[in-house]
Amino acid sequence: MIDPLAARGQQEALNPNIITNRMCDQLTNVCEANDAAKTACTAAKAQISALGTRDKSTADAWNSALGFAGTVTNPDGGPAEPAASASTTGRGVRFAA
């Protein structure tokens, strides 16, 4: 997540559904977002869950669903795909919102 307020307390995770759920929760609990933003987040969360992917395309789809198409999803660089054995690298999919 790019926004530091929305990202507060969230670390990288291998399961995109954990990240999207947390981001939608943050809209309510931290960001005081309006109902339209919460509805958009819920719809985007459902799209990501249906994809079943765990790579850069997942983050790109999330950003596009929320109107942020073209956002840099890995500002620190690195591979577009997670490592074959993510449990040994400790790296997960990064989402930017």
Side-chain angles (χ1 to χ4, degrees):
M1 290 182 252
I2 293 174
D3 185 285
L5 182 60
R8 184 178 298 150
Q10 177 64 43
Q11 298 178 7
E12 291 183 3
L14 294 175
N15 184 341
N17 298 315
I18 291 171
I19 297 168
T20 58
N21 189 55
R22 172 64 181 204
M23 292 176 80
C24 290
D25 286 348
Q26 290 292 84
L27 288 178
T28 298
N29 300 331
V30 177
C31 300
E32 300 177 12
N34 63 28
D35 288 338
K38 294 175 197 176
T39 298
C41 192
T42 300
K45 184 169 73 168
Q47 288 178 355
I48 297 307
S49 181
L51 284 175
T53 58
R54 294 180 179 206
D55 56 23
K56 182 180 180 304
S57 71
T58 312
D60 290 339
W62 171 261
N63 290 332
S64 293
L66 293 174
F68 299 106
T71 299
V72 176
T73 54
N74 195 354
D76 297 331
E81 304 291 328
S85 178
S87 63
T88 61
T89 65
R91 293 197 51 122
V93 175
R94 275 195 78 176
F95 280 80

